[in-house]
Amino acid sequence: MTFPHRHLLGIEQLRPEEITTILDLAEEYVALNRGDKKHSDVLSGLTQINMFFENSTRTQASFELAGKRLGADVMNMAMQASSVKKGETLIDTALTLNAMHPDLLVVRHPHSGAVDLLAQKVNCAVLNAGDGRHEHPTQALLDALTIRRAKGRLHRLSIAICGDIAHSRVARSNIMLLGKMENRIRLIGPPTLMPSGIEEFGVEVFDNMDEGLKDVDVVMMLRLQKERMDGGFIPSEREYYHRYGLDAEKLSHAKPNAIVMHPGPMNRGVEIDSDIADDINRSVIQEQVEMGVAVRMAAMDLLARNLKGTA
Ligand code: NCD
């Protein structure tokens, strides 16, 4: 297995065969996680520090669990309570932590590019757990694994990504990953939530759900990222749900066996109807969470092999 990277900062830096390498290894961890003894010692002796400068439930919990299942010493830094609040810069915080000799640093930050900057200042492997609107590589990888398992392949599928594309690092990383694997990508959402010039990424853009969802294999819904909106991007949540919220009627335009995805956290009744989110025949939202742990185990395993020089 070749994975010649020191850090996992984004999907942008990965080649298709490296994406496949991560997903194949993640499959082994899916099996481990479903077994009785959910433990391996590939990260034994290594220290993993999770630094989350932005709220997170799934991502932080799954990185923590992933590290523990692989035998690392895992520390969660409570960034709300840290010296950052006293005015310490990101780089000073990073250098302080670096002096404690971590091997893996998992970072989420509200500013696009902050994680790349930090990676240049430390001696360990850095994993981007989401930076601003920029990238969220492990989310795109877990989505890819979920799709590959549900559809039996990860190429030549028609995939709709719907909603608040403009503020979404999940959308950005997914557009890159699914594009690299040669899928057809459709973006659906109001023009106010569509980044300008996005067509250059080889995607088709729609502002009508019925048209955009026609015959797709995968429907990926996104949360309205209200915390990143500083003005009136939508008339009202009610109106938004009416036009873009996924319900049974809109979903009927997709292929009959199309799967429904959402990275979480969901705003039920805003971007997705509860009945659809909870429909175990269509929704793979719980599988996404399960794949998240396995993909993070695989990513940390591969980076750790490079640290030891055994890759
Ligand atoms: C996403 C995130 O934080 O970028 N959530 C996640 O990681 N599961 C999406 C979101 O916040 O809407």
Side-chain angles (χ1 to χ4, degrees):
M1 276 189 196
T2 53
F3 190 76
H5 297 276
R6 194 170 137 78
H7 307 293
L8 179 61
L9 299 175
I11 298 298
E12 193 171 7
Q13 297 85 353
L14 301 183
R15 293 186 311 187
E17 57 272 27
E18 294 164 359
I19 292 168
T20 303
T21 295
I22 300 176
L23 301 186
D24 290 349
L25 184 58
E27 283 289 355
E28 295 179 25
Y29 286 122
V30 173
L32 182 85
N33 290 340
R34 287 183 178 181
D36 293 334
K37 186 174 168 286
K38 302 172 182 50
H39 207 272
S40 133
D41 57 7
V42 300
L43 299 186
S44 166
L46 301 185
T47 300
Q48 173 191 340
I49 301 182
N50 297 335
M51 291 167 77
F52 280 67
F53 295 88
E54 223 184 48
N55 292 340
S56 170
T57 311
R58 269 153 288 265
T59 307
Q60 181 165 353
S62 60
F63 264 115
E64 182 178 352
L65 200 54
K68 287 181 171 163
R69 286 187 178 163
L70 295 181
D73 296 310
V74 185
M75 182 176 85
N76 288 312
M77 284 284 293
M79 299 318 294
Q80 309 295 338
S82 75
S83 295
V84 175
K85 280 273 179 282
K86 299 181 187 167
E88 188 173 74
T89 66
L90 172 68
I91 299 305
D92 283 336
T93 306
L95 293 178
T96 303
L97 289 176
N98 196 43
M100 298 179 191
H101 298 290
D103 302 285
L104 296 153
L105 209 49
V106 178
V107 188
R108 168 170 286 193
H109 198 280
H111 296 152
S112 305
V115 182
D116 293 43
L117 183 70
L118 195 141
Q120 293 165 23
K121 305 285 177 189
V122 295
N123 302 321
C124 59
V126 175
L127 292 102
N128 183 1
D131 64 321
R133 305 174 188 189
H134 179 225
E135 280 239 36
H136 193 352
T138 56
Q139 179 70 44
L141 288 162
L142 77 87
D143 290 338
L145 185 59
T146 308
I147 295 170
R148 195 174 79 168
R149 289 173 67 97
K151 293 285 154 201
R153 66 180 201 272
L154 190 58
H155 58 275
R156 270 183 270 128
L157 292 167
S158 183
I159 299 168
I161 307 178
C162 314
D164 184 358
I165 313 280
H167 298 103
S168 178
R169 54 194 174 210
V170 175
R172 221 172 160 276
S173 290
N174 262 305
I175 291 166
M176 279 188 271
L177 190 155
L178 297 168
K180 283 178 198 240
M181 305 314 270
E182 299 185 7
N183 295 284
R184 288 187 56 187
I185 305 170
R186 297 170 153 215
L187 304 182
I188 317 174
T192 47
L193 294 177
M194 204 54 78
S196 57
I198 192 73
E199 289 88 346
E200 287 165 27
F201 283 79
V203 296
E204 283 179 275
V205 175
F206 296 83
D207 72 355
N208 177 292
M209 287 286 275
D210 294 358
E211 284 170 29
L213 290 180
K214 193 166 168 16
D215 294 332
V216 299
D217 300 287
V218 176
V219 184
M220 190 181 289
M221 301 308 298
L222 298 172
R223 184 176 65 90
L224 264 187
Q225 308 239 325
K226 288 178 252 180
E227 75 279 18
R228 298 191 209 285
M229 296 183 187
D230 45 18
F233 285 86
I234 56 162
S236 71
E237 286 184 4
R238 225 181 119 101
E239 171 76 9
Y240 183 82
Y241 179 68
H242 177 66
R243 295 200 53 185
Y244 300 102
L246 186 68
D247 58 14
E249 201 287 314
K250 295 191 189 83
L251 184 59
S252 70
H253 296 270
K255 284 206 184 126
N257 62 350
I259 55 168
V260 174
M261 307 178 74
H262 193 303
M266 278 186 277
N267 292 308
R268 288 169 184 261
V270 179
E271 68 261 354
I272 190 164
D273 179 53
S274 265
D275 289 348
I276 299 292
D278 300 332
D279 180 349
I280 55 166
N281 295 316
R282 306 306 293 273
S283 162
V284 293
I285 295 171
Q286 298 305 323
E287 279 87 337
Q288 288 176 271
V289 178
E290 181 186 3
M291 295 310 125
V293 180
V295 150
R296 287 166 181 131
M297 290 166 86
M300 291 199 290
D301 179 354
L302 289 166
L303 293 178
R305 293 182 202 196
N306 292 346
L307 287 176
K308 293 183 210 147
T310 55

